[in-house]
Amino acid sequence: MPDLLLELRSEEIPARMQRKAAGDLKKLVTDGLVEAGLTYEAAGDYWTPRRLTLDIRGLTARSKDVHEDRKGPSVNAPEQAILGFLRSAGLSDISEAHVHTDPKKGDFYVAHLTKPGRGAEEIIAELMPKIIAAFPWPKSMRWGAASSKPGSLRWVRPLQSVVCTFGPETEEPVVVDFEIDGLRAGNVTYGHRFLSDGKPITVRRFNDYVAKLEKAKVVLDADRRKEMILSDAQNIAFASGLELVEDEALLEEVSGLVEWPVVLMGEFEEEFLAIPPEVIRLTIKTNQKCFVTRKIGLHPTPALRSDPPHRGEGEDGNGASTSPSDGGGRSEAAGGGENPLSNKFILVSNIEATDGGREIAHGNGKVVRARLSDALYFWNTDQHDLPDMHTLAPAAIKFDLDLKKPLDQRMARLDALNVTFHAKLGTQGERVTRIRALAREIAPLVGADPALAIRASVLTKADLTTEIVGEFPELQGGMGRKYALLQKEHPSVAAAIEEHYKPQGPSDFVPSDPVSVTVALADKLDTLVGFWAIDEKPTGSKDPFALRRAALGVIRLLLSSDRKIELLPLFQSAFAQLREDKIEQRIEQFEEKQAAQQSGDVDGEEDVINAVSGFEKRMRSQVAERAQPVLLDLLGFFHERLKVHLRELGARYDLIDAVLTEDADNLLLIARRVEALVVFLNTEDGKNLLAGTKRAANILSAEEKKGTVVSDTVDPALFSFDEEKQLHAAVNQAESQAAQAIQNEDFSGAMIALSALREPVDSFFEKVLVNDENPDIRANRLALLSRIRTATNTVADFSKIAG
């Protein structure tokens, strides 16, 4: 069977686009070939910074002939209908058609059409220019003289050559001839841009293509390049008594920057190790795409302060100074339970230098030092007094801050600068005020110290104004924790500053410290209630403010902390905080400005107000007037996210629906009820009771639709059978016991109480006819079925359960 080799060689493709582009090429080509009637045995995609390659094995040489019987009009049809049939079937005369007979419809014409198959080369030559011209790059460019013409080729970087060969292993493959924007496909490629001799390389099929590229210093397989980089990096680090700090994302990126990986080691001065390890790692990774290393077999360095001595806390446990100048200062968690970083880093070059890479390593070291110098400056600056201290007093009073402490100063500055959180939801300072109020209310519910929770909530956003977080936003929270520990905050406060952002997904770490749980809940609830209040809810796949993730975070926090917390009162408290922030006026002002901008130039405030139409003024009533429906809608959103979460844990949707009510706001109890229901329905009693209950509910529902009278109460005097008496007694007992168990939050006990109904229900349906001729007896028996439904509904709505 023939094989197809395709290579699209260009200038350097951004590393982040390569893997997806190769996958897209494979899908587009294979889908196109299959749609054209060809089949193949296997397909592999490969990429380097300068080429996308596709290897398709066992491709059929020709598509099959397609036979079609096209039915035409009756032989007695008008001439115009017959001529239309001939045109559609591609026949020149009616004699070329066949006459078929149908017992009901009589004789009619049929055209037996045969569409001959096409050669694979013809199909490929037609398909490839279309794929290349419409390739889905996230960003693309035009180049050269042809770029001025409409419809000229766009590619991620200038496309330089196309290789396309086709043929079996036993024969000489042929070049599939096609042209795209002046580039004609051939069988010639080129090796490494610097390390090869620059001569053209003629290729036949995939195996010799890979071998010849390897000789020309190109490793085609990206996964093999990753293995080479990782193995060499580990060996070089080990040879120096160090351990590579692995980074899969960086490894993926670096493997997309080189065609011939050469691993080298660089170094920087040890004084930079005073910087927190996360900052060192991010600096080197972000700016130089290099890996860091750590020392092997050493105990983590104790957490020392890198802080000016005048703070009053510039001594370690032995009375030694720990100022930055002593070279021994390390941030809290510099070891972090791991061995400390070393001053050696690993870089990956794309060339083999004649000096063994010394100059390359030296050049990278110079850049790394410059970047680390900036980071060290940021680190030290964040621990000194701010120059605008005199402007921070009002914020300090507002949040009860100690302006002798650096992190408190940063929080005061965040408030003083009026940094906007959202145009309709105010500033970050106002948001911290709301979070603090919520934290004060939540703390007792989760067993947290209110004073610590309030202190943590005040400092949660303080690191947003630090120099390091300004440079590396991904370190927000983490740097706040470090700075909090440096100024001797309680460990729970420091932990909450970092952990209040968590969990950020279904598999992310869930905080367990009560203070962290308190602040995390307060932060997320303020966000959710706020965006619901301004009607900025997720729509479809769009969720720009990550509100689904925030709701999932609340759910996981509540379920993990094992705390029975009602959400609606917290929603109402958060809403009250928004009202105190005058959210109604802010929304109105925001809409007035929008309306003014849409209507043209507006100068004065009176003109702004006049520019707002009466309709726009009515679009939003005061937030307080619609608080309840908004909060119930938010609770419904939580219900949907809870369903998704429990479904991922293995629960059935119908069981979750069965226990959910519109105002159920205690998520832990909902989850426990679902868990108990799952266990119960997996027992024989549970299955049988479900069947009996659904039968009772169906009969009752059918009769109610007919308008059949159902008694309000059950009258034992109308019982004719012992089974009626036994079921009535069992329902009374089960209903009472189940209600008591639910009041005690013993859902398993409630299920056990209901299980006693199984035998009485079965016996009742076996011996008793519900629709008795006597209307009084029928109404009484229907009332008894209603009691069964009411009893089971104390635990779950069995009518919503499948099965």
Side-chain angles (χ1 to χ4, degrees):
M1 296 286 282
D3 300 332
L4 173 65
L5 169 64
L6 174 69
E7 181 202 68
L8 304 176
R9 188 176 64 87
S10 66
E11 293 183 14
E12 279 71 8
I13 305 168
R16 69 183 183 278
M17 299 183 187
Q18 293 168 17
R19 184 180 290 273
K20 184 178 185 304
D24 287 342
L25 180 64
K26 175 181 173 181
K27 185 177 188 308
L28 290 169
V29 173
T30 54
D31 285 357
L33 294 175
V34 170
E35 187 177 342
L38 301 178
T39 61
Y40 62 96
E41 294 177 357
D45 53 318
Y46 304 87
W47 62 92
T48 76
R50 301 183 66 223
R51 66 199 79 219
L52 300 177
T53 300
L54 190 58
D55 171 34
I56 299 181
R57 302 292 178 96
L59 185 65
T60 48
R62 187 178 183 81
S63 63
K64 294 181 180 180
D65 295 345
V66 178
H67 301 284
E68 179 187 359
D69 291 340
R70 184 170 299 179
K71 185 177 178 181
S74 167
V75 294
N76 299 320
E79 183 180 359
Q80 291 298 325
I82 293 175
L83 291 175
F85 168 64
L86 293 177
R87 284 194 299 271
S88 67
L91 303 179
S92 58
D93 190 83
I94 196 61
S95 62
E96 297 177 7
H98 297 260
V99 177
H100 287 209
T101 301
D102 184 278
K104 295 182 179 179
K105 297 183 179 180
D107 295 342
F108 58 91
Y109 291 113
V110 175
H112 298 312
L113 305 177
T114 298
K115 185 178 180 181
R118 303 166 62 202
E121 295 172 46
E122 179 187 351
I123 293 173
I124 296 167
E126 180 184 290
L127 177 65
M128 286 312 305
K130 297 177 182 177
I131 290 176
I132 294 172
F135 199 80
W137 291 108
K139 291 185 178 180
S140 58
M141 61 178 289
R142 295 180 295 176
W143 63 93
S147 64
S148 61
K149 301 175 183 177
S152 60
L153 177 65
R154 300 185 69 92
W155 201 248
V156 63
R157 295 291 185 271
L159 190 61
Q160 296 176 332
S161 68
V162 178
V163 170
C164 190
T165 67
F166 177 72
E169 292 186 6
T170 56
E171 300 176 13
E172 186 69 20
V174 299
V175 173
V176 179
D177 186 33
F178 64 86
E179 183 179 336
I180 177 73
D181 207 44
L183 282 176
R184 185 165 293 277
N187 61 352
V188 174
T189 188
Y190 293 84
H192 193 284
R193 188 172 182 179
F194 304 111
L195 298 180
S196 70
D197 57 14
K199 296 179 181 178
I201 302 170
T202 302
V203 298
R204 299 172 68 248
R205 52 181 55 87
F206 184 73
N207 290 340
D208 80 297
Y209 166 77
V210 173
K212 289 179 178 179
L213 280 183
E214 191 97 11
K215 290 181 180 178
K217 304 296 185 180
V218 174
V219 178
L220 182 67
D221 190 337
D223 290 331
R224 184 166 163 246
R225 292 198 303 274
K226 288 173 67 173
E227 292 172 4
M228 293 169 62
I229 293 169
L230 182 60
S231 176
D232 289 351
Q234 289 172 335
N235 291 337
I236 289 176
F238 184 76
S240 299
L242 303 171
E243 178 184 19
L244 178 72
V245 177
E246 296 184 19
D247 187 324
E248 178 61 30
L250 179 58
L251 182 61
E252 173 77 13
E253 182 177 10
V254 169
S255 70
L257 297 175
V258 295
E259 290 193 315
W260 189 257
V262 178
V263 180
L264 304 169
M265 177 175 279
E267 65 177 324
F268 54 86
E269 286 74 11
E270 288 195 358
E271 66 187 65
F272 292 119
L273 295 177
I275 306 170
E278 302 96 315
V279 180
I280 295 175
R281 185 173 176 179
L282 263 178
T283 299
I284 294 177
K285 171 183 175 178
T286 304
N287 295 300
Q288 286 302 103
K289 313 302 179 190
C290 297
F291 299 86
V292 296
T293 61
R294 57 181 167 230
K295 300 172 184 177
I296 299 177
L298 297 177
H299 294 293
T301 303
L304 301 181
R305 285 206 56 176
S306 177
D307 197 14
H310 75 267
R311 300 281 181 210
E313 299 164 0
E315 295 184 347
D316 62 14
N318 299 318
S321 171
T322 59
S323 64
S325 61
D326 68 3
R330 298 295 304 277
S331 70
E332 168 66 20
E338 299 176 344
N339 294 322
L341 296 184
S342 79
N343 66 323
K344 305 289 178 60
F345 62 91
I346 300 294
L347 61 119
V348 182
S349 171
N350 194 34
I351 61 173
E352 292 177 334
T354 55
D355 65 351
R358 284 192 297 274
E359 280 300 315
I360 296 174
H362 177 69
N364 276 266
K366 288 174 65 176
V367 179
V368 166
R369 288 184 202 101
R371 298 296 186 181
L372 289 178
S373 294
D374 291 341
L376 182 60
Y377 169 78
F378 296 151
W379 170 242
N380 288 329
T381 299
D382 285 340
Q383 297 172 65
H384 284 76
D385 290 338
L386 291 171
D388 54 351
M389 286 273 288
H390 61 283
T391 65
L392 306 180
I397 296 171
K398 177 180 177 181
F399 292 104
D400 192 22
L401 298 170
D402 181 359
L403 292 183
K404 295 179 181 178
K405 297 180 176 181
L407 198 58
D408 290 56
Q409 294 177 25
R410 269 66 189 176
M411 178 57 226
R413 170 182 270 187
L414 182 69
D415 183 61
L417 291 177
N418 289 320
V419 177
T420 300
F421 168 64
H422 187 280
K424 299 180 183 179
L425 294 175
T427 66
Q428 288 283 9
E430 290 171 331
R431 183 162 184 256
V432 169
T433 300
R434 299 195 298 266
I435 293 173
R436 177 177 62 177
L438 271 178
R440 182 184 291 111
E441 184 172 347
I442 295 172
L445 303 178
V446 300
D449 183 326
L452 295 180
I454 291 170
R455 176 63 175 165
S457 63
V458 166
L459 296 179
T460 49
K461 310 299 179 183
D463 65 352
L464 295 180
T465 57
T466 61
E467 299 289 340
I468 284 186
V469 172
E471 182 74 9
F472 300 112
E474 56 266 53
L475 291 180
Q476 61 183 314
M479 292 310 301
R481 179 176 192 165
K482 290 182 182 297
Y483 292 135
L485 289 171
L486 286 174
Q487 67 181 35
K488 304 301 182 185
E489 296 291 342
H490 191 283
S492 291
V493 172
I497 294 173
E498 178 178 22
E499 295 174 354
H500 84 279
Y501 291 106
K502 296 182 177 294
Q504 293 188 327
S507 58
D508 193 21
F509 162 77
V510 180
S512 57
D513 186 297
V515 177
S516 297
V517 172
T518 298
V519 183
L521 286 173
D523 176 70
K524 292 170 176 59
L525 290 175
D526 174 74
T527 299
L528 288 159
V529 173
F531 281 105
W532 246 254
I534 63 173
D535 200 24
E536 292 278 1
K537 298 177 286 188
T539 55
S541 61
K542 295 181 179 180
D543 186 10
F545 303 109
L547 301 181
R548 292 188 180 97
R549 187 175 68 185
L552 177 60
V554 172
I555 290 167
R556 294 189 65 207
L557 284 164
L558 293 177
L559 298 187
S560 298
S561 65
D562 202 32
R563 297 281 181 175
K564 306 179 188 71
I565 298 176
E566 295 178 351
L567 285 178
L568 279 174
L570 295 180
F571 290 174
Q572 292 162 354
S573 296
F575 216 95
Q577 292 301 315
L578 288 171
R579 292 197 64 196
E580 288 183 15
D581 276 351
K582 299 182 180 179
I583 191 70
E584 299 99 325
Q585 292 90 326
R586 186 176 292 115
I587 291 172
E588 185 178 351
Q589 291 168 5
F590 182 83
E591 291 180 344
E592 287 172 356
K593 290 178 181 178
Q594 281 191 323
Q597 290 171 358
Q598 293 170 2
S599 64
D601 294 330
V602 181
D603 297 321
E605 182 178 351
E606 185 177 349
D607 293 331
V608 171
I609 296 173
N610 291 335
V612 185
S613 68
F615 173 76
E616 288 171 320
K617 287 182 178 179
R618 292 191 300 272
M619 283 297 291
R620 289 192 200 273
S621 60
Q622 288 189 346
V623 177
E625 293 179 4
R626 58 179 186 142
Q628 196 60 20
V630 167
L631 299 186
L632 285 176
D633 183 62
L634 176 57
L635 184 60
F637 178 73
F638 267 93
H639 287 169
E640 292 302 315
R641 303 319 301 166
L642 180 63
K643 289 180 187 178
V644 173
H645 179 64
L646 294 181
R647 183 68 187 89
E648 290 175 351
L649 296 179
R652 286 164 32 190
Y653 270 115
D654 57 333
L655 302 188
I656 303 169
D657 283 333
V659 303
L660 271 178
T661 58
E662 182 182 354
D663 58 350
D665 65 343
N666 193 318
L667 304 186
L668 180 62
L669 295 186
I670 294 172
R672 287 184 176 177
R673 192 175 290 208
V674 171
E675 182 181 356
L677 189 58
V678 169
V679 173
F680 177 60
L681 292 180
N682 283 330
T683 66
E684 199 63 28
D685 283 346
K687 294 174 183 176
N688 290 334
L689 178 62
L690 174 62
T693 301
K694 289 176 76 70
R695 183 178 176 185
N698 290 338
I699 293 172
L700 190 60
S701 177
E703 294 303 319
E704 286 173 340
K705 288 180 180 178
K706 294 178 186 177
T708 305
V709 176
V710 180
S711 297
D712 295 332
T713 59
V714 177
D715 184 1
L718 293 175
F719 290 159
S720 305
F721 296 90
D722 290 339
E723 286 76 14
E724 290 178 279
K725 300 174 184 177
Q726 292 167 3
L727 179 58
H728 183 239
V731 168
N732 286 336
Q733 184 177 1
E735 193 172 30
S736 173
Q737 292 178 349
Q740 185 60 46
I742 288 175
Q743 187 176 349
N744 297 333
E745 298 175 1
D746 179 11
F747 302 111
S748 296
M751 299 297 175
I752 293 172
L754 290 180
S755 67
L757 289 175
R758 174 201 165 178
E759 290 186 9
V761 168
D762 290 347
S763 299
F764 176 83
F765 283 119
E766 185 177 343
K767 297 291 181 67
V768 179
L769 177 65
V770 176
N771 288 320
D772 193 90
E773 294 180 357
N774 186 321
D776 294 335
I777 294 177
R778 180 171 62 244
N780 196 57
R781 289 174 181 172
L782 289 173
L784 187 55
L785 297 187
S786 180
R787 287 287 306 280
I788 296 173
R789 183 172 63 182
T790 302
T792 54
N793 280 353
T794 58
V795 174
D797 185 349
F798 277 48
S799 65
K800 294 182 178 179
I801 301 175

